[in-house]
């Protein structure tokens, strides 16, 4: 599924796929833009965004995919139609609206095995929801197994030349290249086109950065230009001037760039934390081109950052302050979760997440209320309503830093990884946070004011597939009453999906595992027959 980034200007915009508030903006280019009431068709198409040709999963058959532009308070009615055909990849799908709270519409969150069953081939589902108090930068992506890896997508996306249904069995793998706004280059590949961001001297531009990476984080910068951060994950921040920022999978930033340099071409740099990553040959790069500059690649030089972004320097602009008593351990509910890894499988408090065959929401609506009755066993945490939760998350072993995302909420980052200070007064508020290096911890707070099961997981999809997730089931006894009318089509998703044969699921089966064995000897166990859904 192809979901591009939005790079928008305060007076003009370069559109791509994210959910944003619509202000007085005018397009610099004309990609597909749709409103909050629309249809998205998911299908397959062969593309070569970095010069390497492969089949991908696209939205509406275009790359990058369509932008959903909406005004604050709009109602959304988005029908997702599944027309997938490539049997080497998954033939079912789901779509998650990342960062939107879905308060009262948990069933529309799009998280397979948590809030719904996947949408089967040749079927559709209408996601109806509202976001009355949210305006900012959001995005949508598949939330079915590792399907989101088949989206060789836009800004800060890292594509793989081998399909995800094969790589899901490989313990540890490296992306082939990185893309900015859907274009990039890979080592040893052709000098394919790079994304060009056109600006005019003397104007200010709001750039919305969305990391839709499957694994790496990035160091983002623009040669010779400072960036003023004004938003993190849909939350306005006090302006902070930086010359480089690190962005993790799932995170978003809005930055203001002032085009006040001589008319020329400047490298946009986006270095992933992968082995041997560089800018050689234009890799991991795009071009900032001033109006009037020659249409050539930049000659600007990379310099060491003088004021890189530090998360603790970010402060929420509106209603700052973490909820509850401003002391560590003094929340209504205090949780400690420890992430560990053994032979490539991840555990949270000694439990690895295995997708249940019955979504957690359906379990709750069927009468299960206590954690002991909710599956997967050991991976569902029940929380009472309207309580302040303080979560301390620490990690051991390899695989970090892990970008942890909570569905249904934004949270206050009371303690950032690698920092010993606790800030309850004006911490940054966001929905994806890095856990840092092994032995470090992160502390976050939120209020349980949104009944339903909400996924808390690593946004490195390989790690989610390998078990790094839990479900926060908020006040399950009142979930049914809290939800708006649940559509009949939602009730039909599971019977339809459960009736599929292994060949109707796609994904390659044992053939994909055999291909993985040709890549690496470090493998997860082979799939059972029939395949786990």
């Amino acid at each position: 599924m192809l979901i591009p980034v939005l790079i928008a200007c305060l007076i003009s915009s370069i559109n791509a796929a994210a959910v944003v508030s619509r202000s007085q903006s005018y397009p610099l280019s004309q990609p597909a833009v749709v409103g909050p009431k629309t249809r998205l068709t998911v299908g397959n198409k062969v593309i070569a965004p970095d010069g390497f040709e492969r089949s991908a999963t696209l939205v509406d058959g275009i790359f990058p995919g369509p932008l959903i532009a909406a005004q604050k308070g709009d109602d959304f009615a988005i029908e997702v139609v599944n027309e997938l055909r490539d049997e080497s990849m998954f033939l079912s799908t789901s779509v998650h609206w990342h960062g939107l709270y879905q308060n009262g519409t948990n069933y529309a969150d799009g998280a397979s095995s948590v809030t719904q069953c996947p949408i089967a081939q040749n079927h559709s589902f209408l996601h109806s929801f509202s976001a009355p108090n949210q305006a900012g930068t959001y995005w949508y992506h598949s939330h079915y197994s590792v399907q989101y890896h088949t989206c060789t997508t836009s800004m800060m996306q890292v594509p793989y030349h081998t399909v995800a249904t094969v790589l899901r069995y490989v313990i540890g793998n490296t992306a082939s290249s990185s893309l900015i706004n859907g274009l990039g280059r890979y080592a040893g590949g052709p000098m394919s086109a790079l994304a060009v961001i056109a600006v005019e001297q003397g104007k200010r531009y709001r750039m919305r950065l969305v990391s839709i990476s499957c694994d790496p984080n990035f160091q983002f910068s623009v040669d010779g230009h400072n960036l003023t951060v004004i938003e993190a994950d849909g939350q306005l921040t006090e302006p902070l001037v930086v010359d480089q920022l690190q962005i993790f999978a799932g995170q978003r930033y809005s930055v203001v760039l002032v085009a006040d340099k001589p008319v020329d071409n400047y490298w946009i740099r986006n270095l992933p934390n992968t082995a041997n990553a560089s800018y050689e040959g234009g890799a991991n790069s795009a071009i900032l081109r001033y109006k009037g500059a020659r249409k050539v690649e930049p000659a600007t030089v990379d310099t060491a950052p003088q004021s890189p972004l530090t998360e603790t320097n970010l402060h929420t602009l509106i209603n700052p302050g973490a909820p509850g008593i401003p002391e560590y351990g003094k929340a209504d509910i205090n949780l400690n979760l420890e992430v560990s890894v053994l032979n490539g499988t991840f555990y949270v408090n000694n439990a690895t997440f295995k997708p249940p065959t019955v979504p957690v929401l359906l379990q709750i609506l069927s009468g299960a209320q206590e954690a002991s009755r909710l599956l997967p066993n050991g991976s569902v945490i029940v929380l009472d309503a309207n309580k302040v939760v303080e979560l301390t998350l620490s990690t051991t072993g390899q695989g970090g830093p892990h970008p942890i995302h909570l569905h249904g909420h934004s949270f206050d980052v009371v303690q950032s990884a690698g920092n010993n200070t606790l800030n309850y007064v004006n911490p940054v508020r966001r929905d994806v946070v890095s856990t840092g290096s092994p032995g470090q911890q992160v502390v976050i707070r939120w209020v349980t004011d949104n009944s339903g099961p909400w996924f808390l997981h690593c946004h490195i999809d390989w790690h989610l597939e390998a078990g790094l997730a839990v479900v926060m089931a908020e006040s399950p006894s009142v979930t049914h009453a809290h939800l708006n009318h649940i559509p009949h089509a939602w009730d039909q998703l599971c019977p339809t999906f459960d009736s599929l044969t292994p060949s109707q699921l796609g994904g390659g089966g044992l053939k994909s595992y055999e291909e993985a064995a040709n890549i690496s000897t470090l493998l997860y166990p082979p799939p059972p027959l029939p395949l786990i859904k």
Side-chain angles (χ1 to χ4, degrees), residues 156-474:
M156 303 181 196
Q157 166 69 7
V158 178
Y160 296 78
H161 291 169
T162 303
V163 296
T165 47
V166 172
L167 292 179
R168 65 189 294 219
Y169 298 116
V170 177
I171 300 176
N173 51 66
T174 302
S176 305
S177 64
S178 68
L179 308 178
I180 296 179
N181 277 13
L183 297 172
R185 295 172 182 168
Y186 66 94
M191 296 293 284
S192 54
L194 297 177
V196 175
I197 309 303
V199 298
E200 188 173 339
Q201 191 180 51
K203 293 184 177 180
R204 297 189 304 153
Y205 293 80
R206 178 175 182 170
M207 304 174 70
R208 299 179 189 258
L209 312 179
V210 186
S211 175
I212 28 186
S213 166
C214 300
D215 188 344
N217 61 75
F218 300 93
Q219 298 288 353
F220 179 87
S221 62
V222 181
D223 282 2
H225 294 75
N226 286 330
L227 306 169
T228 301
V229 181
I230 60 171
E231 177 208 355
D233 296 359
Q235 300 288 329
L236 294 178
T237 65
E238 295 179 3
L240 178 67
V241 178
V242 302
D243 59 4
Q244 183 187 75
L245 60 83
Q246 185 177 27
I247 183 169
F248 292 86
Q251 289 186 333
R252 292 90 65 209
Y253 287 105
S254 281
V255 299
V256 176
L257 178 144
V258 181
D260 58 356
K261 303 304 178 186
V263 172
D264 205 343
N265 296 285
Y266 298 84
W267 283 119
I268 298 174
R269 301 181 186 273
N270 195 49
L271 193 69
N273 67 324
T274 54
N276 303 315
S278 73
Y279 301 116
E280 184 176 351
N284 306 307
S285 303
I287 299 170
L288 184 78
R289 176 166 294 154
Y290 277 66
K291 182 178 180 180
R294 292 184 303 151
K295 294 182 178 180
V296 297
E297 294 194 354
T300 54
V301 178
D302 185 30
T303 58
Q306 301 301 307
S307 52
L309 173 65
T310 300
E311 187 176 60
T312 51
N313 290 336
L314 282 175
H315 303 294
T316 294
L317 180 65
I318 299 173
N319 298 322
I325 299 171
E327 294 181 41
Y328 183 71
K330 293 296 182 68
D332 299 320
I333 302 172
N334 299 282
L335 302 174
N336 286 276
L337 300 180
E338 182 176 295
V339 175
S340 57
V341 59
L342 178 64
N343 297 327
T345 298
F346 288 91
Y347 299 83
V348 180
N349 285 8
N350 300 316
T352 186
F353 184 86
K354 295 183 178 180
T357 55
V358 177
V360 180
L361 177 58
L362 182 54
Q363 296 177 48
I364 291 172
L365 296 179
S366 300
Q369 307 291 314
E370 298 82 26
S372 60
R373 297 181 57 198
L374 290 167
L375 300 174
N377 188 34
S379 294
V380 180
I381 299 171
V382 173
L383 304 172
D384 290 338
N386 300 312
K387 301 295 184 181
V388 175
V389 178
E390 182 169 271
L391 169 62
T392 301
L393 186 67
S394 59
T395 64
T396 61
Q398 298 178 338
H402 301 285
I404 299 298
H405 172 48
L406 175 62
H407 291 217
H409 293 276
S410 293
F411 46 74
D412 288 282
V413 184
V414 172
Q415 182 182 8
S416 295
N419 190 285
N420 295 325
T421 303
L422 296 170
N423 178 8
Y424 292 94
V425 177
N426 59 354
V428 67
R429 188 173 296 141
R430 60 188 325 154
D431 58 51
V432 180
V433 67
S434 168
T435 62
S437 303
Q440 296 178 348
Q441 70 175 29
V442 61
V443 179
I444 63 175
R445 276 195 180 187
W446 76 94
V447 176
T448 56
D449 56 4
N450 191 2
S451 181
W454 301 109
F455 224 179
L456 177 81
H457 64 88
C458 180
H459 222 287
I460 297 173
D461 242 25
W462 309 121
H463 297 175
L464 171 55
E465 181 79 355
L468 209 173
V470 296
V471 175
M472 299 291 178
E474 293 185 21

Side-chain angles (χ1 to χ4, degrees), residues 96-102 109 134 137-139 233 252 405-410 431:
H96 168 57
W97 318 97
H98 184 121
L100 297 181
Y101 298 152
Q102 300 290 353
D109 190 50
Q134 293 186 263
T137 309
Y138 308 92
W139 62 296
D233 296 359
R252 292 90 65 209
H405 172 48
L406 175 62
H407 291 217
H409 293 276
S410 293
D431 58 51

